[in-house]
Amino acid sequence: DGGITQSPKYLFRKEGQNVTLSCEQNLNHDAMYWYRQDPGQGLRLIYYSQIVNDFQKGDIAEGYSVSREKKESFPLTVTSAQKNPTAFYLCASTSPGTSGGETQYFGPGTRLLVL
Amino acid sequence: GENVEQHPSTLSVQEGDSAVIKCTYSDSASNYFPWYKQELGKGPQLIIDIRSNVGEKKDQRIAVTLNKTAKHFSLHITETQPEDSAVYFCAASRSNTGKLIFGQGTTLQVKP
């Protein structure tokens, strides 16, 4: 898992509740990413940030929000607008490739369950 | 849009046999192709990657080949061991975008 930590490992959400997933890295990486993983599917990009105070929507951003106030931190909020939030959430950060390409390192993940 | 197709979705081999997983990408501008191994309940771990300026890369029992013309790349695992059992993902990206497009994953089972 390198120097990327995610917390909590398990998170329970009640209907109508917003919850925030934490992602911290000490790798001095500029770019950070949030993915959602559902059973039998690949990873889908929610949001990404290539620099502090800037972020872009990925392929499935609806119902999610992020902030990037510090280089080390990229928290993800799952809002009540996300109607099917049960999934495994993965955070990643990028080390620029030495000859092109971006090597991404992943955290251990947070499993979100709906009560 | 950009897409990566991965096959097979499941693969079962006997210990000691070889395993091959294949991916096809749609974006001809893709130039970076990593492979990840994910064990149950954990985050994906990078096992090998290849860039478009080479056709093959090997690291002990693992090798990756790339055919840019056909837009195919493959993971080869030789002398498989039970600890190789996991889900494997391929991905593709363009340099400097940082965005990886993932395949759907292959569940590899190595039977002792």
Side-chain angles (χ1 to χ4, degrees):
Chain A
D1 301 326
I4 303 175
T5 57
Q6 291 186 242
S7 62
K9 187 171 183 177
Y10 296 96
L11 185 58
F12 298 91
R13 194 191 90 163
K14 296 180 181 178
E15 191 172 342
Q17 185 182 41
N18 291 354
V19 292
T20 297
L21 286 62
S22 170
C23 178
E24 304 278 332
Q25 54 97 0
N26 61 3
L27 301 170
N28 200 33
H29 289 171
D30 289 312
M32 298 184 73
Y33 307 80
W34 274 106
Y35 294 89
R36 170 178 171 142
Q37 185 175 30
D38 293 283
Q41 296 190 34
L43 283 68
R44 293 183 290 169
L45 184 63
I46 304 173
Y47 267 99
Y48 63 105
S49 168
Q50 294 185 307
I51 196 169
V52 174
N53 293 322
D54 187 44
F55 49 82
Q56 288 79 39
K57 293 181 179 180
D59 301 319
I60 54 165
E62 186 175 353
Y64 300 97
S65 66
V66 294
S67 63
R68 187 83 187 279
E69 297 177 0
K70 299 187 300 182
K71 187 176 185 178
E72 301 79 17
S73 178
F74 190 41
L76 173 74
T77 297
V78 184
T79 74
S80 57
Q82 172 50 245
K83 298 306 180 187
N84 184 24
T86 297
F88 191 46
Y89 291 86
L90 290 157
C91 178
S93 67
T94 295
S95 168
T98 56
S99 57
E102 305 285 335
T103 302
Q104 285 193 20
Y105 298 92
F106 284 83
T110 292
R111 188 164 299 279
L112 177 61
L113 300 167
V114 177
L115 294 177
Chain B
E2 300 162 348
N3 188 46
V4 175
E5 294 288 335
Q6 182 173 347
H7 298 280
S9 57
T10 60
L11 179 59
S12 181
V13 301
Q14 287 295 134
E15 182 177 0
D17 288 350
S18 295
V20 180
I21 303 171
K22 299 181 179 181
C23 289
T24 303
Y25 59 98
S26 61
D27 184 0
S28 57
S30 296
N31 58 6
Y32 175 62
F33 308 92
W35 285 89
Y36 288 87
K37 176 183 180 182
Q38 186 178 28
E39 298 178 344
L40 193 62
K42 298 184 178 180
Q45 298 290 314
L46 180 72
I47 55 172
I48 196 167
D49 58 10
I50 192 168
R51 292 175 171 83
S52 58
N53 57 344
V54 298
E56 183 173 359
K57 183 177 179 180
K58 189 173 182 179
D59 183 2
Q60 298 182 346
R61 296 186 297 110
I62 295 173
V64 57
T65 58
L66 172 64
N67 182 333
K68 287 189 294 181
T69 302
K71 293 190 283 188
H72 289 170
F73 58 113
S74 300
L75 178 71
H76 304 253
I77 306 174
T78 59
E79 301 173 20
T80 54
Q81 301 167 3
E83 51 266 38
D84 294 330
S85 297
V87 180
Y88 291 81
F89 290 97
C90 64
S93 82
R94 298 182 188 182
S95 179
N96 299 324
T97 68
K99 290 177 63 177
L100 287 176
I101 308 299
F102 282 86
Q104 296 85 352
T106 296
T107 300
L108 173 64
Q109 181 185 30
V110 180
K111 298 178 180 178

